[in-house]
Amino acid sequence: MSLSGKNILLGVTGGIAAYKAANLTRLLVKEGASVKVVMTPAAKQFVAPLTFATLSQNPVLTEFFNPENGDWHSHVKLGLWADAMIVAPATANTIAKMANGIADNLLTTTYLSMRGKVFVAPAMDLDMYAHPATQRNIETLKATGNIIIDAEAGELASGLSGKGRMAEPETIVGALANYFESDQPLKGRTVLVTAGPTYEKIDPVRFIGNYSSGKMGFALAEAAADAGASVILVSGPVNLATANPKIKRINVESAQQMFEACTANFANCDAAIMAAAVADYRPANIAGQKIKKSDAQMTVTLESTPDIAATLGKAKRSGQVLVGFALETENGLANAAEKLQKKNLDFIVFNNANEAGAGFCCDTNRVTIIKNDGQQIDYQKKDKHAVARDIIAQLVPLLNNKQQ
Ligand code: CTP
């Protein structure tokens, strides 16, 4: 589905075309989007919030807070949640407020907090639409990066005929789908991502593991899927969920299982990003029964696990891109550069395990990317999702260049 996995915020204002927004909600949901609806007070005069709540399967937001219990409806959170906002119908009044930064209701306030693209579908009488003030406001909205879905000509609610009818819901959904499609540089690509730790069994109740949370790998899977890729996520034991239909998750426990899942899938992938913290050693023998305590010293003999990244590096075809991670505690950049060469990677993402706000467990990371042509890019500390987008942004041109 063309809007699959997208969060769409529909802003409904007080025009007669508000009834068409009900059908628009239905179409957006049908295309796979998660939809939340915010209405201006005037919009409620035209269509009851219950209609939108039922169609979107989400509570409709109309006020800054619920007067019954004081529950705060955060316009900032809504603005961060939404991948795109569509104001449909957009009255002359709301367009004027948006163009001038007036924030006097939840819809206009949310507009000012939006990080994603905003689409505006004007709907009004022909003279209001043609008025220089409205046209000036529409130009201002265009100039500030909003996408105007132009009104259509036809019969208007006033009985007059002319330009001012809101574009049909199908046209609006088409505009949103086109926008997201052109924003999908990995469309048609398959990306393998490894994530999380591995557990290496000592006996039926114990294992050797590490503190990897899987957050970086999962953020990479999401970022690759958002960029249009089909993702195969091979994950060690983690406490994270995946709902994105573009991500096929394969759960594994040990390095050997991760190795098998990766080698079975790599040939069909365009790129692989090895974000997992794979155990380098495993017990040479797994005790069949729980090892009992005794006074004697205890020794567990370890043997090497297969190096997944190095194996894929050897198997890599000319069109494939292989990305590794290096989590280091000392001589970081030098060790990372060595791994880059040894494992035949295209670039390596170095992060420092000793740095606060970087590495395994937290939601942020600070990375340096070292490419195999020696180029080095230092990034600021940021949320792992933003780090993932930076990594995907480096992957895309490499993939395109290799396949030219
Ligand atoms: N890696 C892998 N398979 C392994 C070990 C590591 O695929 N058995 C991958 C990791 O996912 C990472 C890269 O190789 O992308 C580097 O991992 P890291 O643990 O930093 O390096 P090692 O090669 O294990 O070396 P060392 O532990 O000595 O630093």
Side-chain angles (χ1 to χ4, degrees):
M1 284 185 286
S2 52
L3 294 177
S4 168
K6 298 294 175 203
N7 292 337
I8 307 292
L9 183 64
L10 171 61
V12 182
T13 73
I16 191 72
Y19 80 91
K20 284 195 197 171
N23 194 25
L24 175 57
T25 308
R26 205 179 56 76
L27 289 180
L28 290 170
V29 170
K30 209 169 140 208
E31 287 296 314
S34 296
V35 181
K36 289 187 183 176
V37 178
V38 54
M39 299 176 81
T40 60
K44 290 193 288 182
Q45 307 289 322
F46 291 87
V47 181
L50 180 62
T51 303
F52 289 109
T54 308
L55 292 172
S56 68
Q57 293 153 28
N58 273 314
V60 169
L61 305 156
T62 57
E63 309 295 338
F64 288 107
F65 60 89
N66 181 337
E68 301 282 309
N69 58 16
D71 189 21
W72 176 248
H73 300 142
S74 167
H75 56 92
V76 177
K77 273 198 191 147
L78 272 177
L80 291 174
W81 171 84
D83 296 306
M85 179 178 189
I86 163 79
V87 184
T91 57
N93 184 39
T94 293
I95 288 173
K97 288 183 195 173
M98 289 168 71
N100 291 286
I102 295 170
D104 64 346
N105 61 42
L106 189 60
L107 188 151
T108 48
T109 318
T110 305
Y111 165 66
L112 293 181
S113 298
M114 268 300 296
R115 294 258 176 103
K117 204 51 138 183
V118 180
F119 294 74
V120 182
M124 62 201 78
D125 204 45
L126 76 163
D127 295 312
M128 290 176 87
Y129 189 70
H131 196 283
T134 304
Q135 286 304 314
R136 200 172 53 232
N137 289 331
I138 287 177
E139 286 311 312
T140 303
L141 287 182
K142 276 189 197 162
T144 44
N146 302 285
I147 296 178
I148 306 296
I149 304 172
D150 213 1
E152 293 170 0
E155 232 175 75
L156 301 168
S158 60
L160 299 173
S161 189
K163 194 167 176 182
R165 277 169 68 103
M166 187 178 91
E168 290 305 319
E170 288 79 4
T171 310
I172 296 172
V173 171
L176 279 164
N178 277 345
Y179 167 73
F180 284 117
E181 217 141 274
S182 63
D183 199 29
Q184 301 223 306
L186 291 180
K187 193 169 169 18
R189 307 283 200 184
T190 304
V191 177
L192 176 73
V193 179
T194 65
T198 63
Y199 286 179
E200 309 301 329
K201 271 200 166 123
I202 298 173
D203 69 13
V205 297
R206 302 184 179 93
F207 60 85
I208 298 174
N210 60 66
Y211 292 118
S212 171
S213 63
K215 285 176 184 164
M216 193 62 248
F218 275 60
L220 278 160
E222 287 290 342
D226 282 350
S230 298
V231 178
I232 300 171
L233 172 63
V234 181
S235 175
V238 294
N239 254 329
L240 298 170
T242 26
N244 193 324
K246 295 201 71 136
I247 303 177
K248 177 183 160 208
R249 177 168 173 176
I250 302 174
N251 288 325
V252 297
E253 188 174 288
S254 65
Q256 184 63 33
Q257 290 167 350
M258 189 172 274
F259 173 82
E260 282 161 20
C262 289
T263 48
N265 283 287
F266 184 56
N268 298 324
C269 293
D270 299 287
I273 310 175
M274 317 308 287
V278 187
D280 290 329
Y281 296 97
R282 64 185 169 211
N285 297 299
I286 304 171
Q289 303 299 330
K290 186 180 170 208
I291 300 170
K292 302 305 285 180
K293 184 164 62 178
S294 82
D295 290 338
Q297 231 183 23
M298 156 96 183
T299 304
V300 179
T301 305
L302 301 177
E303 64 180 16
S304 295
T305 57
D307 191 315
I308 305 166
T311 306
L312 301 191
K314 282 203 187 96
K316 188 169 75 171
R317 295 190 309 268
S318 58
Q320 289 177 306
V321 174
L322 183 60
V323 178
F325 270 73
L327 181 70
E328 308 288 346
T329 55
E330 55 180 2
N331 301 328
L333 286 170
N335 284 339
E338 198 186 316
K339 282 176 195 172
L340 171 76
Q341 299 305 330
K342 232 164 82 185
K343 303 192 188 206
N344 192 24
L345 307 172
D346 292 86
F347 66 85
I348 193 156
V349 184
F350 158 62
N351 46 178
N352 186 339
N354 287 338
E355 187 178 323
F360 270 174
C361 288
C362 38
D363 291 332
T364 54
N365 206 355
R366 194 178 72 77
V367 305
T368 298
I369 287 182
I370 310 172
K371 299 192 183 174
N372 65 1
D373 62 4
Q375 200 194 338
Q376 193 176 307
I377 312 169
D378 289 312
Y379 294 88
Q380 305 280 335
K381 179 159 69 179
K382 40 180 108 169
D383 182 272
K384 282 184 172 167
H385 288 96
V387 175
R389 286 194 291 273
D390 288 340
I391 293 168
I392 296 298
Q394 291 301 320
L395 174 74
V396 168
L398 273 183
L399 207 46
N400 291 341
N401 287 343
K402 282 201 171 199
Q403 294 193 346
Q404 264 168 15

